[in-house]
C-alpha cells in the first residue's frame, strides 16, 4: 500500500477533498515500531505526527514519585501527536509502542507550511486536531482523578 492509499483509508482524514491528500503525501512515510520502542518523551521537540494503522501505542506522562504514568492507548485508526501544531512544538506527553505497530508518519514542518499556504486545509486539519487535543486532555483528567482523587467516604 502506498502512502497515498494509506492516507485515503485512515479515518482521521475521512471526508477531506481528494486533491488535498496527494499534497499531504509529500510529507508522509510508512513506519513500523516494535514493542517497547519509545517514540518520544514529554518535553522533547515535536517534529512529526502519526496516523496509526495497526498495533497499539501507549501515551504516558511523567509523575513525580511515580515515573511514567499511562494515560491512554492509541490503536488502529487513531492519531498520535498534536504538540507539533502549537508553539513551542514540544511533546506534552510521551509515547511507547506496546505492540508491533504500523503508522503513517508525517513531517510536522512540512504539514504546517502546507496548512499556512491553504487556509481551508489549515482550518480543516486544525479542527480535527483540536478534537484529538480535547480527547487527550479529558483522558489525562480522568487518569489524574484515578491517581489523586479523594477516596469516597463510606457511611456507617
Amino acid at each position: 500500500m502506498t502512502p497515498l492509499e494509506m492516507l485515503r483509508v485512515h479515518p482521521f482524514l475521512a471526508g477531506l477533498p481528494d486533491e488535498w491528500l496527494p499534497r499531504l503525501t509529500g510529507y508522509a512515510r510508512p513506519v513500523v515500531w516494535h514493542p517497547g520502542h519509545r517514540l518520544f518523551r514529554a518535553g522533547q521537540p515535536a517534529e512529526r505526527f502519526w496516523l496509526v494503522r495497526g498495533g497499539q501505542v501507549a501515551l504516558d506522562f511523567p509523575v513525580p514519585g511515580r515515573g511514567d504514568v499511562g494515560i491512554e492507548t492509541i490503536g488502529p485508526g487513531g492519531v498520535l501527536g498534536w504538540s507539533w501544531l502549537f508553539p513551542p512544538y514540544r511533546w506534552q506527553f510521551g509515547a511507547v509502542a506496546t505492540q508491533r505497530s504500523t503508522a503513517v508518519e508525517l513531517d510536522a514542518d512540512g504539514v504546517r507550511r502546507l496548512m499556512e499556504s491553504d487556509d481551508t486545509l489549515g482550518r480543516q486539519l486544525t479542527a480535527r486536531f483540536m478534537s484529538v487535543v480535547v480527547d487527550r486532555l479529558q483522558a489525562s483528567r480522568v487518569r489524574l482523578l484515578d491517581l489523586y482523587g479523594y477516596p469516597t467516604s463510606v457511611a456507617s
Side-chain angles (χ1 to χ4, degrees):
M1 189 177 265
T2 68
L4 178 58
E5 292 167 332
M6 292 176 198
L7 294 179
R8 277 199 176 114
V9 299
H10 198 279
F12 181 73
L13 299 176
L16 283 183
D18 277 343
E19 63 269 14
W20 288 350
L21 296 179
R23 294 166 63 197
L24 286 169
T25 302
Y27 303 106
R29 71 182 188 103
V31 294
V32 176
W33 307 302
H34 297 284
H37 175 75
R38 166 86 41 197
L39 283 78
F40 53 86
R41 289 195 180 277
Q44 291 179 328
E47 299 168 337
R48 58 191 55 86
F49 66 97
W50 300 269
L51 304 178
V52 179
R53 299 183 58 235
Q56 285 190 332
V57 177
L59 291 178
D60 57 25
F61 62 94
V63 174
R66 294 184 188 238
D68 292 329
V69 174
I71 305 171
E72 180 177 12
T73 302
I74 310 301
V79 178
L80 181 60
W82 53 263
S83 299
W84 63 274
L85 192 53
F86 307 103
Y89 310 121
R90 299 252 172 221
W91 293 118
Q92 299 299 307
F93 303 109
V96 64
T98 59
Q99 298 177 357
R100 182 184 182 280
S101 302
T102 58
V104 179
E105 179 179 276
L106 289 109
D107 173 71
D109 189 52
V111 174
R112 277 194 306 267
R113 284 193 314 270
L114 187 59
M115 292 170 66
E116 290 167 4
S117 72
D118 185 328
D119 288 340
T120 306
L121 172 62
R123 279 191 307 275
Q124 183 62 231
L125 289 178
T126 299
R128 289 170 188 240
F129 274 103
M130 286 308 299
S131 178
V132 173
V133 170
V134 169
D135 288 346
R136 297 285 149 73
L137 292 176
Q138 180 64 15
S140 299
R141 179 180 162 273
V142 169
R143 186 65 176 124
L144 285 171
L145 286 173
D146 287 345
L147 291 172
Y148 296 111
Y150 294 103
T152 57
S153 59
V154 178
S156 306

